[in-house]
C-alpha cells in the first residue's frame, strides 16, 4: 500500500493512494506480520530466561506494547474491516488484553490517514451515476476519515445546499469474513490474549457489528429515525438524508455546522450554558436506552458537535448512526433493576438484575457479589441524593451539585474491581453490556469535558420509572 506523503489530507498524515482489497493480498500482509511476531516472541522468551523477576515483568510490559503497536500500525494501513475489528478489540480487550495493548489499540479509534480521492471517486461514479454527480460540487479533500469510509463536503449546484457525502471504501464489505478469520489467527500468534480464552463469541460479535456498519441502508434508516424522534426538540440537530444521492455505498445528508466540545467557543461558555448542554446530552442517552431501546453506541467526540448560540439556544449536532444498537425491552427492564437497586442500595435487586441479563452466574462467592454490588452503588454516585452524605464532599459545589470534571469515579470503580479480582469472574460480559457501557463512558467523558455541575437524581429516576419506558 502506498502512502502519498505530499498529500496532507486528514491532519498531518498523508493519504493512502491504494487499498489492499483482495483477501489474498490482505492475508499476505497480515501473514508477514504474524511471522515477524513469532520470531519476536521466541527471542523475548529466550531473553526472559536470563532476566530477574522485576526485569522480566517490565520486559513483558514493553513487549506487549511493542507487539500491539506493530499490530495497530499494520491495521491502520490496511483500513477496512480488519482495522475496525482492531478498534473493537480495544473495546473488548479491556477485559482480557494486557493494558499496554489496549492503550495502543485504542489509538486506532481516530488516528488514521484518509484515502486518496482517486480511490473513492470510482465508488461515487458507479453508485450515483455521472448525471447525479454532475449536480454536485464535491471537495476532494475529506472532512473526516475512518476505517470503513470517509466523508466529503459537497454543494448542490441548483440551490447551494451544503451536503456531507459519506463514501464506503471499495472492497471492505466483501473482505469482512476473511479479515475476521485472519485477525483471529494473528491475535493468537502475537500472544496478546490468554490461551484459555475462547475468542469465538467476541469475533462473532465483531463480525455482526462490521456487517451492520457497512450497511448504509440501515444507517440511513437510523438517521431518519433519530431525526423524526428529535424533530420537536430544539436542543438537538440531526442531518437530513438526501435520498437521491444515496446508495449501498454512499450516504448523503445535509452538512451540519458545529464545533468540537473541546473548542474554545464551547469551553468558554458560562457554567449555566454548559450545564444545559450537559443535561441535554445525559437526557438523550437516557431517552435512547430506556424509552427508545435504540442507542447510538459510538461515543467518539467526532459524532457530536456543538452549535453555540448567542441567545442561549445552544444545540448538540448528532452525526453518524452506523453504530446504533437496538435493545430488547426485557434487557432494558432488567438493567433498570440493577440501576434502581444501586440507587436504593438494594443489593438483592442488583444481583437479581445481573443474573437476568447474563452478567452473573450461579455459584459466584459472596465476596464477589458484595464487591459487584459495591461497584454498582459507586457507579451511580453522580445520581445520588448527595445530602445523604455518601458522595465525597469535594465533588459537590456550594449548591450540592455533582462536579463531573473533578470526579475520579472511573478510577475508584476500577480499583474496586481490581482489588476484588472481579475480572476473574466477569471475563467478557454480554455484548449488550459492552456497547452500552461504551456509550455510558462517553457520556461521563462528555460531561467532564463540559465541566458539568448537575443534580441529576430526579432525571434518572424519571427514566427508570416503568411509566416512562413506553416508547420502545
Amino acid at each position: 500500500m502506498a502512502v502519498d506523503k505530499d498529500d496532507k489530507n486528514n491532519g498531518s498524515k498523508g493519504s493512502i493512494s491504494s487499498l489492499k482489497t483482495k483477501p489474498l493480498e490482505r492475508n499476505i500482509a497480515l501473514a508477514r506480520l504474524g511471522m515477524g511476531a513469532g520470531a519476536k516472541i521466541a527471542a523475548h522468551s529466550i531473553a526472559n530466561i536470563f532476566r530477574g523477576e522485576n526485569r522480566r515483568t517490565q520486559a513483558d510490559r514493553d513487549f506487549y506494547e511493542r507487539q500491539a503497536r506493530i499490530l495497530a500500525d499494520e491495521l491502520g494501513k490496511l483500513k477496512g474491516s480488519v482495522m475496525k475489528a482492531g478498534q473493537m478489540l480495544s473495546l473488548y480487550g479491556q477485559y482480557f488484553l494486557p493494558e499496554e495493548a489496549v492503550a495502543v489499540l485504542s489509538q486506532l479509534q481516530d488516528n488514521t490517514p484518509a484515502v486518496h480521492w482517486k480511490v473513492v471517486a470510482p465508488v461515487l461514479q458507479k453508485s450515483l451515476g455521472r448525471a447525479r454527480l454532475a449536480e454536485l460540487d464535491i471537495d476532494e479533500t475529506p472532512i473526516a476519515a475512518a476505517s470503513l469510509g470517509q466523508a466529503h463536503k459537497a454543494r448542490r449546484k441548483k440551490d447551494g445546499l451544503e451536503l456531507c457525502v459519506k463514501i464506503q471504501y471499495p472492497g471492505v464489505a466483501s473482505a469482512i469474513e476473511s479479515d475476521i478469520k485472519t485477525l483471529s489467527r494473528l491475535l493468537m500468534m502475537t500472544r496478546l490474549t490468554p490461551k484459555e480464552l475462547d475468542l469465538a463469541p467476541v469475533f462473532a460479535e465483531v463480525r455482526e457489528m462490521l456487517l451492520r456498519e457497512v450497511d448504509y441502508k440501515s444507517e440511513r434508516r437510523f438517521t431518519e429515525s433519530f431525526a423524526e424522534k428529535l424533530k420537536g426538540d430544539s436542543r438537538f440537530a440531526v442531518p437530513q438524508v438526501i435520498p437521491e444521492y444515496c446508495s449501498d455505498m454512499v450516504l448523503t445528508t445535509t452538512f451540519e455546522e458545529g464545533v468540537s466540545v473541546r473548542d474554545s467557543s464551547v469551553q468558554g461558555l458560562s457554567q449555566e450554558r454548559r450545564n444545559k448542554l450537559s443535561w441535554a446530552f445525559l437526557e438523550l442517552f437516557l431517552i435512547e436506552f430506556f424509552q427508545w431501546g435504540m442507542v447510538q453506541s459510538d461515543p467518539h467526540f467526532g459524532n457530536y458537535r456543538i452549535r453555540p448560540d448567542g441567545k442561549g439556544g445552544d444545540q448538540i449536532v448528532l452525526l453518524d448512526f452506523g453504530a446504533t444498537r437496538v435493545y430488547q425491552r426485557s434487557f432494558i427492564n432488567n438493567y433498570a433493576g440493577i440501576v434502581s437497586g444501586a440507587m436504593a442500595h438494594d443489593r438483592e435487586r442488583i444481583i437479581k438484575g445481573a443474573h437476568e441479563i447474563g452478567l452473573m452466574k450461579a455459584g459466584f462467592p459472596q465476596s464477589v457479589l458484595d464487591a459487584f454490588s459495591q461497584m454498582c452503588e459507586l457507579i451511580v454516585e453522580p445520581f445520588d441524593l448527595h445530602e445523604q452524605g455518601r458522595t465525597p464532599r469535594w465533588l459537590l459545589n456550594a449548591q450540592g451539585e455533582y462536579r463531573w470534571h473533578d470526579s475520579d469515579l472511573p478510577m475508584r470503580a476500577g480499583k474496586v474491581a481490581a482489588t476484588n479480582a472481579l475480572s476473574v469472574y466477569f471475563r467478557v460480559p454480554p455484548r449488550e453490556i459492552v456497547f452500552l457501557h461504551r456509550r455510558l463512558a462517553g457520556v461521563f467523558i462528555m460531561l467532564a469535558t463540559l465541566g458539568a455541575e448537575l443534580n441529576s437524581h430526579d432525571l434518572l429516576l424519571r427514566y427508570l420509572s416503568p411509566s416512562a419506558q413506553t416508547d420502545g
Side-chain angles (χ1 to χ4, degrees), residues 372-390:
F372 176 78
S373 298
Q374 179 189 353
M375 187 173 66
C376 291
E377 292 166 354
L378 185 59
I379 289 172
V380 299
E381 174 185 272
F383 307 97
D384 265 339
L385 285 172
H386 302 306
E387 60 268 22
Q388 293 179 351
R390 289 191 290 259

Side-chain angles (χ1 to χ4, degrees), residues 19-82:
L19 285 175
K20 289 184 174 73
T21 58
K22 296 179 181 178
L24 178 59
E25 59 185 353
R26 292 169 75 82
N27 286 346
I28 290 174
L30 288 171
R32 285 201 198 101
L33 177 59
M35 287 186 288
K40 291 181 177 69
I41 289 167
H44 173 72
S45 299
I46 292 171
N48 258 353
I49 297 173
F50 303 99
R51 295 184 179 118
E53 184 175 349
N54 291 338
R55 288 182 59 214
R56 189 179 301 126
T57 299
Q58 184 59 48
D60 283 342
R61 295 172 70 94
D62 294 342
F63 172 74
Y64 289 137
E65 182 176 357
R66 286 195 302 272
Q67 289 289 81
R69 194 168 299 283
I70 292 169
L71 180 62
D73 287 345
E74 289 302 313
L75 297 185
K77 292 175 187 175
L78 284 171
K79 285 281 192 179
S81 58
V82 73

Side-chain angles (χ1 to χ4, degrees), residues 389-440:
R390 289 191 290 259
T391 307
R393 183 60 208 170
W394 56 274
L395 286 177
L396 305 177
N397 64 14
Q399 290 73 45
E401 297 165 323
Y402 193 82
R403 299 164 59 190
W404 289 78
H405 179 68
D406 294 323
S407 178
D408 61 347
L409 178 57
M411 286 183 286
R412 283 183 283 134
K415 186 176 181 180
V416 170
T419 302
N420 294 277
L422 291 187
S423 60
V424 174
Y425 296 90
F426 301 93
R427 179 52 69 85
V428 180
R431 62 187 184 180
E432 294 89 352
I433 290 286
V434 172
F435 286 91
L436 181 64
H437 285 186
R438 179 192 191 196
R439 171 65 184 282
L440 190 56

Side-chain angles (χ1 to χ4, degrees), residues 438-457:
R438 179 192 191 196
R439 171 65 184 282
L440 190 56
V443 172
F444 194 103
I445 295 170
M446 177 67 77
L447 267 60
T449 304
L450 285 167
E453 297 183 2
L454 303 174
N455 187 339
S456 46
H457 175 81

Side-chain angles (χ1 to χ4, degrees), residues 6 10 32 96 101 107 131 215 264 303 333 337 351 394 435 444:
D6 295 325
N10 195 36
R32 285 201 198 101
F96 56 79
Q107 295 173 11
D215 185 351
S264 59
N303 294 336
N333 292 340
I351 301 303
W394 56 274
F435 286 91
F444 194 103

Side-chain angles (χ1 to χ4, degrees), residues 117-181:
W117 175 250
K118 69 181 182 182
V119 178
V120 296
V123 176
L124 272 178
Q125 293 173 3
K126 183 177 180 181
S127 297
L128 303 184
R130 294 183 181 275
R132 281 295 185 197
L133 279 181
E135 299 172 6
L136 305 176
D137 279 328
I138 303 178
D139 188 344
E140 295 182 3
T141 301
I143 55 177
S147 54
L148 301 175
Q150 61 192 41
H152 292 254
K153 192 173 181 180
R155 183 182 63 84
R156 189 162 63 184
K157 295 176 183 178
K158 69 177 182 181
D159 57 6
L161 181 66
E162 290 190 319
L163 303 173
C164 178
V165 183
K166 183 176 177 180
I167 311 167
Q168 188 175 123
Y169 295 136
V172 296
S174 59
I176 287 176
E177 198 64 37
S178 175
D179 281 351
I180 289 293
K181 291 179 181 177

Side-chain angles (χ1 to χ4, degrees), residues 97-114:
L97 288 177
E99 59 183 273
E100 296 80 15
V102 174
V104 173
L105 287 173
S106 64
Q107 295 173 11
L108 283 169
Q109 298 290 338
D110 54 10
N111 190 22
T112 172

